[in-house]
Amino acid sequence: MSKGEHTREIILQKAATLFNTKGYAAASISDIMGATGLQKGGIYNHFNSKDELTLEAFEYASKVVGQRFRESVKAQHNAIAKLEAIVGTFRMHSDNPPLVGGCVVLNAAIESDYSNPALRAKVREVMNDLRGLIRYVVDEGIKRRQIKPSVNSDYVATVIIATLEGGVMLAALYRDSQHLERVIHHVTEYIQTQLNA
């Protein structure tokens, strides 16, 4: 990695954390300068605008998060175990977040809903990837007779993600992990009793 590539990587790391804690709109270039120790020109040497940095920092953060999901699923050989691994990854994000500030996707989804269409489109891409992963696991599980044939994979993806993200939000809001633990228990029971063939 060249010095320029290394500097760019540092900017993305610091900006991703800053955006996830302070917010994409609220974090200023001055904040990014303070976090990176670079002058404005040093940042704009790598990114044409704050908007470009915003999108690339979110992509960076979402790749870190996505890698955890892919690794957890890859380590399992049964569809039920893969779904439980996805649930476990939500717990891991809560216990040991890849970035300070909570769920990268949830935070960006809420903030970008009306104010930043380009960021919203990126968030949807990431969420589509997670939904696609769950649908794939369920569909493969049906083919291998590990999941009931009557199960709708798109329905399962919606229920699992919405329930877990709701638990993440409540745990963050109340600074109390019991909310996420309750949701994890509920989703795990749903997987074992409603999906397991």
Side-chain angles (χ1 to χ4, degrees), residues 62-78:
S62 64
K63 283 180 185 173
V64 171
V65 171
Q67 184 63 30
R68 282 189 173 185
F69 280 103
R70 285 186 294 280
E71 286 174 2
S72 70
V73 168
K74 189 176 180 181
Q76 305 301 323
H77 301 289
N78 175 286

Side-chain angles (χ1 to χ4, degrees), residues 100-121:
V100 176
C103 179
V104 171
V105 178
L106 181 64
N107 291 345
I110 291 167
E111 184 173 346
S112 68
D113 193 24
Y114 298 103
S115 63
N116 190 332
L119 180 58
R120 183 173 185 260

Side-chain angles (χ1 to χ4, degrees), residues 1 12-13 36 62 79 88 123 135 141 143 157 159 192-193:
M1 183 181 286
L12 286 172
Q13 288 174 357
T36 61
S62 64
V123 174
R135 286 194 313 263
K143 286 179 193 172
V159 167
Q192 293 171 350
T193 62

Side-chain angles (χ1 to χ4, degrees), residues 3-127:
K3 184 179 177 185
E5 290 169 332
H6 179 70
T7 301
R8 192 174 201 284
E9 183 83 4
I10 295 294
I11 294 168
L12 286 172
Q13 288 174 357
K14 300 286 187 181
T17 299
L18 182 65
F19 290 143
N20 203 46
T21 54
K22 191 167 185 173
Y24 290 88
S28 66
I29 288 297
S30 295
D31 293 326
I32 297 165
M33 290 165 53
T36 61
L38 296 171
Q39 296 299 313
K40 190 183 289 189
I43 294 167
Y44 285 130
N45 188 40
H46 296 278
F47 303 93
N48 294 323
S49 65
K50 182 187 169 198
D51 289 341
E52 181 181 314
L53 176 55
T54 294
L55 296 177
E56 291 199 37
F58 174 74
E59 285 181 20
Y60 170 85
S62 64
K63 283 180 185 173
V64 171
V65 171
Q67 184 63 30
R68 282 189 173 185
F69 280 103
R70 285 186 294 280
E71 286 174 2
S72 70
V73 168
K74 189 176 180 181
Q76 305 301 323
H77 301 289
N78 175 286
I80 296 299
K82 288 176 188 271
L83 291 174
E84 290 172 343
I86 290 169
V87 173
T89 302
F90 273 88
R91 176 183 280 127
M92 185 188 346
H93 286 340
S94 178
D95 295 342
N96 180 23
L99 278 99
V100 176
C103 179
V104 171
V105 178
L106 181 64
N107 291 345
I110 291 167
E111 184 173 346
S112 68
D113 193 24
Y114 298 103
S115 63
N116 190 332
L119 180 58
R120 183 173 185 260
K122 291 287 183 192
V123 174
R124 285 181 65 150
E125 286 176 23
V126 171
M127 187 57 74

Side-chain angles (χ1 to χ4, degrees), residues 130-188:
L130 180 56
R131 291 179 69 236
L133 174 63
I134 293 171
R135 286 194 313 263
Y136 175 78
V137 168
V138 171
D139 289 339
E140 286 297 304
I142 291 169
K143 286 179 193 172
R144 294 183 176 147
R145 297 182 180 170
Q146 298 164 347
I147 292 180
K148 295 175 184 175
S150 59
V151 169
N152 178 304
S153 62
D154 194 52
Y155 179 90
V156 171
T158 298
V159 167
I160 288 176
I161 293 170
T163 307
L164 289 168
E165 288 289 9
V168 168
M169 183 273 299
L170 286 173
L173 180 65
Y174 289 103
R175 302 279 192 257
D176 187 346
S177 63
Q178 76 171 333
H179 299 288
L180 180 58
E181 289 303 321
R182 289 170 180 162
V183 165
I184 286 171
H185 174 77
H186 176 76
V187 172
T188 302

